[in-house]
Amino acid sequence: MFFLVGLLMGVGFYAALKILMGCLYTVRPDQRAVVTTFGAVNRLGAGSDAATMSDDERERYEYPQVQVIGPGGPYFKLPWQRVHKVSVATQTVDLTWDPSKAQDTIEAVTKDNLTTGVNGQIRYRVSENNLYPYLFGVESPLEHVMGYFVSVLRERIANFVDPKGQSLLADAVAETEAIAGAGEGDSESTVETKASAVELSEGVSINDLRKNLPLLNQYMEEQCRSTTGRYGIELDAALITEIDPPAEVDRALSAINSTRNQVAADISTARADAEQQITMSARAVEIATNNAQAEVAPLHELANTLVSIKSEGGSDCLKAYLRNLRVPLYKNTERILQTDSKSEGKA
């Protein structure tokens, strides 16, 4: 009898100790906890990240704030309560992560209908102030965030246009319009420039995407800020590192790039030659002008001298000066033709 009583007391003591130990819990420094009682959570008020969502999202994802238990312990809970622990440390996940299938890259279609592979990572952490949507809003919040991120990424790739190319083309059009005396309709050159603008902007989107990966990452971070309020996951950074088209497309792109580089080099060479020819022509004109001025200058000086002699000494002085001026010339003369005075005066 005493053995049976002792056994029951021992079992009861063990059960009480087991239940008591199960009611104690701790929270690590990188964790936060939420306690539910029969499935209900202690709500504190409206969510705090509604500003990051649109009006439509704010109506659809109106989640409350909940009581969050910080790191430390041991804490005590009643046996019918449940503790939900969440890691708030920053984590990294591959862009290709998908629990429903295995894949090496994310496929996306560019503006010029090329299917390309995209790879990279996103860095995220669970928002301590939005644990309700993370724990109770959706069944798999990370899966939803990845699906949302990939959808935004595919939409951006399908409509991406190089902003630098657009600005350069806009400047080219403006310059062409200014030269053509714009304002009265499109001239032929303006139309050609605009046509080349469209051709370049819709040229090879993969090249534009590769050149603007930081811009693409920045756009993704801005567009995914609402995930904090929608899923309780705060996107810290988007790191898209690879945009790889199929092998045959990659070879074609390499050929296009090589051709473009060669064309650019030829244009630079031709422009340099033209500038050199223009410079040489301007220098030749300058030299010819200087030579002409050098030939004319003595004649002007002689004319001024004759006018001065005539004005000061009269016609006799001028004739004497001319006679004396002819004397040195006679020494170099081999033959002299004498004409009458009337013909000489005309000569």
Side-chain angles (χ1 to χ4, degrees), residues 168-179:
L168 292 175
L169 294 168
D171 294 341
V173 172
E175 183 179 356
T176 305
E177 289 178 348
I179 294 174

Side-chain angles (χ1 to χ4, degrees), residues 151-165:
S151 298
V152 174
L153 177 63
R154 283 174 171 160
E155 185 272 338
R156 182 56 174 169
I157 289 177
N159 298 283
F160 185 83
V161 176
D162 186 5
K164 294 181 179 178

Side-chain angles (χ1 to χ4, degrees), residues 50-62 226:
T52 60
M53 296 187 290
S54 62
D55 294 338
D56 179 61
E57 291 174 333
R58 201 173 296 120
E59 294 178 358
R60 296 171 55 192
Y61 302 99
E62 187 177 359
S226 62

